[in-house]
């Protein structure tokens, strides 16, 4: 039998000084009054709020020690100065020592007031910031710190930076969840088609001939394109997309990308027009990526333009010859104003759209990776114009 007594194993161990105090005295103070705050805190005077936590108490001790040593040193300096000028002497019994003592006391009280005031302005927000950082580290991305209006400027900027960081983390987390949901939704359709066709062939419902295998092959191409698009977006947003820049004849590149859709446009009964002057300056760009941008815009326009409509691709250069602009316009159904504000977001697409919703998002990422800009203009029923601008020379850091 252990010599600790029969109930020793039933008592929880005291792992900290605060726990040992609770074991001896319970959740009350020495006078029988309950603690006034969480975590065993007490209702002290107005200038000492123990709810600020251990950081404030440690900082308070530091300020207190600095204050005491400062006052002692200041008092010693006054006393030595008074002794040097003859105000105080070893045998002095008059009013001079009392005057010096009163002056010293007043200065001590004044200094203590300034120290206490500065302590509260700094320690309180810092402790709240420490607690909020712990909450964010534990997964609570909604933790924020109220910006202290009377704190020093560097502390206010620190709190503001923390709140901005926490807000961005919350946005990134929401985008990550949305991306996972969107990707799973987009992958579900081609996978379901492939699975259904393969099962039908195995069960003998469909023959494993070229006609039915072609449908399976088309869906695998859809999956391949979707995976490649997601890879491009992830690399661009992470800032790791490699651009293989070279002097490029942009008008020839635009003509090649546009002409590749002529047969598709003719089959859909859509007129495809091209206006790209041959005297455009050479631009230092990645030709593969810029061709992908033009192809995405033309493909998107062709998907939303009905039979009998038109698509125009126009390119030009600014007066200074420093940037090249490209516009892709169509006479399609247009974009609703609510969707237009998010048209470059991932998986943003209107009702009935047959695309994946990644084309414009990829175009935006690729244009911005080249240091350019992209914009969209549209009215429902009046067509859409997507335009982007590329610098002739790459931007310097």
């Amino acid at each position: 039998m252990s010599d600790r007594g029969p109930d020793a194993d039933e008592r929880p161990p005291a792992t900290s000084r605060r726990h040992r105090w609770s074991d001896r005295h319970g959740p009350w103070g020495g006078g029988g009054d309950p603690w006034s705050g969480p975590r065993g805190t007490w209702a002290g005077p107005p200038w000492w709020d123990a709810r600020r936590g251990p950081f404030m108490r440690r900082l308070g001790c530091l300020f207190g020690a600095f204050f005491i040593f400062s006052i002692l040193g200041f008092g010693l300096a006054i006393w030595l100065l008074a002794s040097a000028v003859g105000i105080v002497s070893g045998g002095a019994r008059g009013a001079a020592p009392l005057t010096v003592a009163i002056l010293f006391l007043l200065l001590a009280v004044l200094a203590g007031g300034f120290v206490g005031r500065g302590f509260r302005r700094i320690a309180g927000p810092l402790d709240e910031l420490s607690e909020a950082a712990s909450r964010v580290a534990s997964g609570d991305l909604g933790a924020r710190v109220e910006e202290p209006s009377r704190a020093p400027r560097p502390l206010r900027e620190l709190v503001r930076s923390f709140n901005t960081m926490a807000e961005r983390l919350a946005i990134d987390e929401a985008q990550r969840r949305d991306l996972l949901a969107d990707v799973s939704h987009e992958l579900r359709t081609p996978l379901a088609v492939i699975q259904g066709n393969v099962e039908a062939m195995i069960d003998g419902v469909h023959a494993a001939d070229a006609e039915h295998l072609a449908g399976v092959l088309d869906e695998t191409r859809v999956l391949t394109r979707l995976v490649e698009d997601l890879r491009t977006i992830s690399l661009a947003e992470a800032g790791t997309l490699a651009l293989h820049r070279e002097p490029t004849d942009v008008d020839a590149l635009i003509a090649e990308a546009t002409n590749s859709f002529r047969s598709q446009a003719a089959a859909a009964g859509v007129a495809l027009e091209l206006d790209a002057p041959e005297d455009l300056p050479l631009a230092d760009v990645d030709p593969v990526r810029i061709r992908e941008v033009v192809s995405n815009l033309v493909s998107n326009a062709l998907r939303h333009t009905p039979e009998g409509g038109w698509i125009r691709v126009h390119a030009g250069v600014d007066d200074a010859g420093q940037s090249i602009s490209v516009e892709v316009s169509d006479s399609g159904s247009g974009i609703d104003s609510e969707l237009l504000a998010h048209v470059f977001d991932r998986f943003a697409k209107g009702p009935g759209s047959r695309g994946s919703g990644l084309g414009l998002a990829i175009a935006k990422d690729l244009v911005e990776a080249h240091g350019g800009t992209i914009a969209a203009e549209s009215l429902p029923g009046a067509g859409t114009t997507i335009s982007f601008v590329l610098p002739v020379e790459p931007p310097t850091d």
Side-chain angles (χ1 to χ4, degrees):
M1 178 181 296
S2 172
D3 58 358
R4 294 179 297 167
D7 298 328
D9 294 334
E10 299 178 2
R11 292 195 298 269
T15 57
S16 67
R17 182 177 302 173
R18 177 163 55 87
H19 291 164
R20 291 195 295 271
W21 170 271
S22 299
D23 290 341
R24 293 195 303 269
H25 300 280
W28 296 276
D33 297 329
W35 298 99
S36 61
R39 297 164 56 190
T41 56
W42 57 284
W47 52 269
W48 178 262
D49 184 1
R51 289 176 297 176
R52 295 298 185 185
F55 175 80
M56 186 173 182
R57 290 194 288 272
R58 290 194 294 269
L59 191 59
C61 292
L62 180 62
F63 267 97
F66 175 77
F67 171 72
I68 292 174
F69 283 110
S70 299
I71 293 300
L72 290 177
F74 186 65
L76 179 60
I78 291 180
W79 190 268
L80 291 176
L81 180 62
S83 300
V85 299
I87 298 178
V88 178
S89 61
R93 290 290 184 268
L98 179 61
T99 301
V100 174
I102 293 176
L103 179 60
F104 173 72
L105 180 61
L106 290 176
L107 290 175
V109 172
L110 183 61
F114 277 109
V115 170
R117 185 180 180 184
F119 166 69
R120 281 191 57 84
R121 286 185 177 182
I122 296 176
L126 281 178
D127 196 64
E128 292 178 0
L129 186 62
S130 176
E131 182 180 354
S134 298
R135 290 172 56 190
V136 170
S138 63
D140 181 9
L141 300 182
R144 301 291 185 274
V145 180
E146 183 178 357
E147 185 175 340
S149 59
R150 303 180 64 183
R153 180 178 177 181
L155 182 57
R156 296 199 306 269
E157 292 178 351
L158 177 62
V159 171
R160 195 179 304 120
S161 298
F162 171 83
N163 289 335
T164 301
M165 177 199 69
E167 181 69 23
R168 289 179 178 175
L169 287 175
I171 293 175
D172 289 343
E173 177 64 14
Q175 290 179 343
R176 183 188 67 83
R177 293 179 180 178
D178 292 342
L179 176 61
L180 290 176
D182 292 335
V183 168
S184 62
H185 174 74
E186 293 297 328
L187 291 176
R188 187 179 299 116
T189 300
L191 287 175
V193 173
I194 293 174
Q195 181 179 354
N197 286 334
V198 173
E199 289 178 349
M201 295 178 192
I202 294 176
D203 294 339
V205 177
H206 293 158
D209 52 17
E211 179 183 356
H212 294 95
L213 289 175
V216 175
L217 182 59
D218 289 341
E219 295 302 326
T220 60
R221 293 194 181 104
V222 172
L223 285 175
T224 302
R225 179 60 185 270
L226 179 59
V227 172
E228 184 61 28
D229 288 349
L230 289 172
R231 178 178 177 274
T232 301
I233 285 182
S234 62
L235 290 176
E237 293 185 350
T240 57
L241 180 64
L243 295 179
H244 302 285
R245 294 178 178 269
E246 60 183 67
T248 302
D249 191 349
V250 178
D251 56 277
L253 184 149
I254 295 174
E256 291 176 2
T258 303
N259 291 332
S260 66
F261 289 92
R262 290 203 177 276
S263 60
Q264 185 177 347
V270 176
L272 183 57
E273 304 173 8
L274 173 63
D275 178 19
E278 297 181 357
D279 58 350
L280 292 179
L282 296 178
D284 193 8
V285 297
D286 184 334
V288 175
R289 295 301 186 182
I290 297 304
R291 177 176 180 138
E292 184 176 359
V293 172
V294 177
S295 298
N296 280 343
L297 298 186
V298 175
S299 175
N300 190 68
L302 189 57
R303 207 164 30 240
H304 294 88
T305 302
E307 183 178 0
W310 51 263
I311 298 174
R312 295 192 183 101
V313 181
H314 171 76
V317 62
D318 66 340
D319 295 336
Q322 298 299 314
S323 61
I324 295 175
S325 61
V326 180
E327 292 184 358
V328 178
S329 305
D330 64 63
S331 61
S333 57
I335 303 174
D336 185 80
S337 58
E338 295 183 358
L339 180 60
L340 185 62
H342 306 281
V343 72
F344 294 109
D345 294 346
R346 291 174 302 194
F347 298 104
K349 56 183 180 179
S353 175
R354 303 185 304 274
S356 65
L358 292 175
L360 293 181
I362 291 175
K364 176 177 180 292
D365 288 336
L366 293 180
V367 168
E368 292 181 348
H370 282 80
T373 58
I374 190 169
E377 298 179 3
S378 182
L379 289 174
T384 302
T385 297
I386 307 293
S387 60
F388 65 92
V389 178
L390 293 174
V392 173
E393 298 292 335
T396 58
D397 296 332

